[in-house]
């Protein structure tokens, strides 16, 4: 989208990131671990199954997988097995998404408060951020344990705005999934969606803008206050 076609949005006072598939390529690793989990059972992890699971808390995501595949094993057991596969794969595959550190430096140069709001667990969040020495750069973090209702419910982004001390409309949310985009939009935040290869078919209609990467010109100009 050319610069002259950039949509206008209200000035922002804070930026909140999703984690998986947005800051890091963990959706790639989830895809690999999910494929291994289902292959052990003679099944296939299709793009449709993965797409429906994305952006949701673990138990909710695996309930969807069971519904779509017909698996009847306890969800807790499937989660534990999947987690073991995931952590075995992680060191070989984990990487930051393009533009992450450039965007963080820009946000910090403007003294904008920032946070992370993820459907994953706190232990997982701290592990992933810790691998890139990012824990100290995010004073506000919300995880699956902090909410009663997972995305696409707006609870997590309403709480993020409250903890940071801004109105939801003053908060820019960066998301990569349909569930997360709808969650942030329902909270009243400004949402920029950044699809990854696993979420390109999602519904991002509530987003103010659909960007190509974290260092997309729209994102950078918006954070600079130039739009």
């Amino acid at each position: 989208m050319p610069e002259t076609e950039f949509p206008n949005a209200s000035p922002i006072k804070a930026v909140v990131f999703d984690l998986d598939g947005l800051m890091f390529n963990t959706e790639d690793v989830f895809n690999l671990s999910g494929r291994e989990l289902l292959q052990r059972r003679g099944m296939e992890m299709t793009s449709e199954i993965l797409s429906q699971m994305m952006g949701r808390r673990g138990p909710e995501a695996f309930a969807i997988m069971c519904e779509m595949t017909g698996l009847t094993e306890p969800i807790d057991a499937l989660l534990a097995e999947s987690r073991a596969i995931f952590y075995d794969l992680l060191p070989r595959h984990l990487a930051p998404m393009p533009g992450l550190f450039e965007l963080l430096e820009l946000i910090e140069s403007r003294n904008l408060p920032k946070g992370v709001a993820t459907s994953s667990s706190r232990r997982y969040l701290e592990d992933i951020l810790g691998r890139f020495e990012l824990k100290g750069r995010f004073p506000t973090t919300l995880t699956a344990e902090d909410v009663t209702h997972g995305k696409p419910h707006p609870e997590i982004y309403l709480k993020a705005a409250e903890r940071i001390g801004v109105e939801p409309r003053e908060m820019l949310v960066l998301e990569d999934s349909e569930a997360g985009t709808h969650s942030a939009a329902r909270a009243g935040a400004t949402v920029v969606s950044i699809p990854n290869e696993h979420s390109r078919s999602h519904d991002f209609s509530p987003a103010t803008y659909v960007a190509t990467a974290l260092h997309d010109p729209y994102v950078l100009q918006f954070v600079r206050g130039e739009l």
Side-chain angles (χ1 to χ4, degrees):
M1 181 179 287
E3 183 175 342
T4 54
E5 296 181 15
F6 283 165
N8 293 321
S10 302
I12 55 157
K13 296 182 179 179
V15 182
V16 177
F17 293 73
D18 176 47
L19 180 70
D20 293 304
L22 189 282
M23 293 177 67
F24 300 97
N25 69 335
T26 43
E27 294 296 353
D28 294 341
V29 190
F30 283 128
N31 181 32
L32 292 171
S33 61
R35 288 184 185 280
E36 172 64 22
L37 183 75
L38 291 183
Q39 282 175 0
R40 293 177 180 182
R41 292 155 176 81
M43 298 178 179
E44 180 184 358
M45 171 61 83
T46 65
S47 57
E48 182 181 1
I49 296 171
L50 184 66
S51 176
Q52 291 299 313
M53 293 174 70
M54 281 184 63
R56 301 177 187 274
R57 294 183 295 181
E60 296 158 353
F62 273 73
I64 290 172
M65 185 182 75
C66 288
E67 181 180 350
M68 296 181 74
T69 61
L71 281 175
T72 58
E73 295 174 62
I75 287 176
D76 285 349
L78 291 169
L79 275 167
E81 184 178 348
S82 175
R83 190 175 298 117
I85 299 169
F86 178 86
Y87 275 104
D88 181 60
L89 294 168
L90 198 61
R92 287 172 278 158
H93 297 281
L94 181 64
M97 295 298 277
L100 174 62
F101 291 100
E102 178 182 348
L103 180 56
L104 288 179
E105 289 171 7
L106 175 60
I107 293 168
E108 290 165 356
S109 74
R110 300 208 63 233
N111 295 315
L112 291 170
K114 62 184 182 302
V116 180
T118 176
S119 296
S120 295
S121 70
R122 181 156 300 280
R123 181 178 178 182
Y124 169 84
L125 167 71
E126 292 180 351
D127 178 30
I128 297 297
L129 293 183
R131 291 172 188 247
F132 294 89
E133 300 183 351
L134 287 174
K135 287 171 65 174
R137 294 172 74 173
F138 287 96
T140 301
T141 56
L142 290 98
T143 64
E145 295 92 335
D146 295 309
V147 294
T148 303
H149 306 287
K151 302 173 186 180
H153 194 280
E155 181 183 2
I156 195 165
Y157 285 115
L158 290 171
K159 285 190 172 182
E162 181 181 5
R163 289 194 186 180
I164 293 172
V166 297
E167 295 295 324
R169 60 182 171 78
E170 298 173 325
M171 185 171 70
L172 169 63
V173 172
L174 301 169
E175 270 283 357
D176 69 300
S177 72
E178 178 176 328
T181 296
H182 284 251
S183 171
R186 289 170 185 172
T190 297
V191 194
V192 171
S193 298
I194 306 174
N196 56 59
E197 65 174 299
H198 305 292
S199 63
R200 298 197 193 284
S201 63
H202 285 198
D203 172 24
F204 295 112
S205 57
T208 298
Y209 187 78
V210 180
T212 57
L214 289 166
H215 53 359
D216 183 291
Y218 177 80
V219 177
L220 299 180
Q221 290 182 47
F222 190 15
V223 171
R224 290 189 194 109
E226 297 173 353
L227 297 176

